[in-house]
Amino acid sequence: KNNLGLILRSAAAFGVRRIVLVGREGFKSFCKKSGQGAVPIQHAATLPEAISFLRGLHSDIKICGVEILPEAASLHQMPFSGATAFMVGNERGGLTREQIQACDTFVYIPQFGGGVGSLNVACACSVVLYQFTVWASQPKNGGLGVDEDVCPEMTKLHGAGSFPLKGTTA
């Protein structure tokens, strides 16, 4: 439940136009505060139905699996090209064989230091979406279709803005 809410919030922050959920539909009640409504959700009964829906929106869309596989490209390489749908697996098993076979490409999130093997699915999704926005926001890549939000003015300061930093005055 929490992962989907976090994914919806990240999707809203990073300009995702639609989320396609495969399987059951009972997700709305706990997502209200986490970004649900900001990004349209399309339900598909099966994976082939989801892929068909996406290809109907963009015939040239790339389905990019987020998975640690030998053929996966490092996210740092920004191996994107145009309209892209990211597929993330479940928390325990990652992508299924059927999902892997449905993907055109794969990316993995490089780790540094000791590494943990894999990240929580909501964390991984946020990292991938952010990196995609970095790539897509470059003029040569066509953009996301929406402008970057301006830095918001806080009505009540919080974090570093709520106390003076070293070398500054309040």
Side-chain angles (χ1 to χ4, degrees):
K1 292 180 181 180
N2 292 336
N3 282 335
L4 181 58
L6 293 170
I7 289 170
L8 289 170
R9 191 175 183 114
S10 292
F14 297 123
V16 170
R17 294 193 183 137
R18 183 173 314 268
I19 291 182
V20 180
L21 295 176
V22 178
R24 62 175 225 191
E25 292 189 34
F27 294 108
K28 292 185 180 175
S29 64
F30 62 86
C31 295
K32 296 269 187 233
K33 295 179 183 176
S34 298
Q36 195 262 336
V39 179
I41 298 173
Q42 175 71 34
H43 292 278
T46 65
L47 181 60
E49 184 183 312
I51 300 295
S52 177
F53 173 77
L54 290 167
R55 299 234 190 265
L57 292 175
H58 299 278
S59 59
D60 61 343
I61 197 166
K62 298 284 189 269
I63 310 297
C64 181
V66 180
E67 189 64 88
I68 302 169
L69 295 170
E71 62 267 32
S74 167
L75 196 56
H76 288 177
Q77 295 172 352
M78 295 192 206
F80 311 117
S81 61
T84 303
F86 292 102
M87 188 179 309
V88 293
N90 70 34
E91 191 76 19
R92 291 190 179 156
L95 295 176
T96 65
R97 282 188 188 148
E98 181 187 23
Q99 289 171 316
I100 289 170
Q101 290 172 346
C103 292
D104 301 308
T105 62
F106 298 93
V107 293
Y108 73 93
I109 300 168
Q111 296 183 26
F112 303 88
V116 294
S118 67
L119 297 173
N120 164 281
V121 68
C123 266
C125 192
S126 295
V127 169
V128 169
L129 292 176
Y130 173 78
Q131 193 71 11
F132 184 78
T133 63
V134 170
W135 171 82
S137 296
Q138 303 199 11
K140 65 181 182 185
N141 296 327
L144 290 171
V146 293
D147 292 331
E148 180 179 331
D149 294 343
V150 297
C151 185
E153 290 185 33
M154 303 303 293
T155 56
K156 180 179 177 188
L157 296 177
H158 66 283
S162 63
F163 53 87
L165 300 174
K166 287 184 180 179
T168 65
T169 57

